[in-house]
Amino acid sequence: MTQPHHPSDPHRLHPAGPQPVGPPPAGDAGYGAPVPGPQAHPAPGPHSGPGTGLDPWRPGELAAPPHAPVGLAMKRRNPVAVWLGLPLITLGIYGLVWYYRIHREMAEFDPRRQVPVAGPLLVLLFLGWTVVAPLVSFYNTGRRIADSQRSAGLPVTCSPVVGLLLCFVFGLQTLYYQTELNRVVDAYRAPEGTRIVLPG
């Protein structure tokens, strides 16, 4: 009568069949080899690819040059809403907010240029009664928008003289200026605040 094997008996049979005893054969990497851990994935690089605006001429076609100037993308806005819709809804407050924000965005778009942020708004708030000071401010805004177009490598189409004259035509300077700013935004097609590369 066959006696059952003790668990420590080297001749006992494994339920799956006889198992090898001793060191694994040479070249048998699967026998007793450590299980590889999770593969490390490289950290995502900077915002790049088609439509991100990393390339100043044709986004996504060329690699960004080293040490190129970097700025932040501006926000695209509806010119009609900027000119008429939102100012009517907010009783004119949005016009002041818009004026402040476009100057802040132009300053962040190209840090190489000195663009005042709060100064133009303060002119409208405290020197609006002079009439002349706001007109000078709107003229200078047109110059800054033209500079932003140059920074983006675009043909300059914004005319501060046209913007000044439109101040006397139902306040159309806001519609005109926002249309010109949208040309800069469309050149990069990047979300607001995205890091973009400017022409050197």
Side-chain angles (χ1 to χ4, degrees):
M1 179 175 166
T2 304
Q3 296 297 327
H5 295 283
H6 191 272
S8 61
D9 189 345
H11 299 289
R12 73 183 182 89
L13 297 179
H14 191 274
Q19 299 298 308
V21 178
D28 190 359
Y31 186 90
V35 179
Q39 298 296 323
H41 297 282
H47 194 68
S48 60
T52 61
L54 279 179
D55 178 73
W57 307 103
R58 294 289 187 271
E61 287 186 3
L62 301 174
H67 309 297
V70 177
L72 299 181
M74 293 186 283
K75 180 179 180 179
R76 197 182 201 284
R77 298 177 175 87
N78 186 315
V80 176
V82 167
W83 166 59
L84 186 63
L86 293 174
L88 283 178
I89 295 174
T90 61
L91 302 179
I93 295 177
Y94 178 79
L96 300 174
V97 174
W98 170 82
Y99 205 54
Y100 168 79
R101 293 197 64 182
I102 64 169
H103 281 86
R104 187 191 69 185
E105 290 172 9
M106 285 190 288
E108 295 174 342
F109 174 72
D110 188 355
R112 297 172 299 180
R113 299 185 181 275
Q114 297 297 323
V115 178
V117 176
L121 175 61
L122 296 177
V123 169
L124 298 187
L125 288 175
F126 299 108
L127 297 177
W129 59 273
T130 65
V131 179
V132 175
L135 294 177
V136 173
S137 179
F138 280 120
Y139 177 85
N140 290 333
T141 298
R143 294 177 56 186
R144 296 176 191 121
I145 295 174
D147 288 340
S148 296
Q149 293 176 340
R150 290 189 187 94
S151 297
L154 297 173
V156 177
T157 58
C158 183
S159 170
V161 175
V162 173
L164 178 62
L165 294 177
L166 289 176
C167 292
F168 302 98
V169 186
F170 306 110
L172 285 172
Q173 79 278 3
T174 56
L175 184 146
Y176 173 68
Y177 283 157
Q178 185 59 59
T179 301
E180 295 298 326
L181 283 170
N182 284 348
R183 295 185 67 250
V184 179
V185 178
D186 294 341
Y188 288 89
R189 295 174 294 171
E192 178 189 5
T194 302
R195 287 168 57 86
I196 55 176
V197 175
L198 305 171

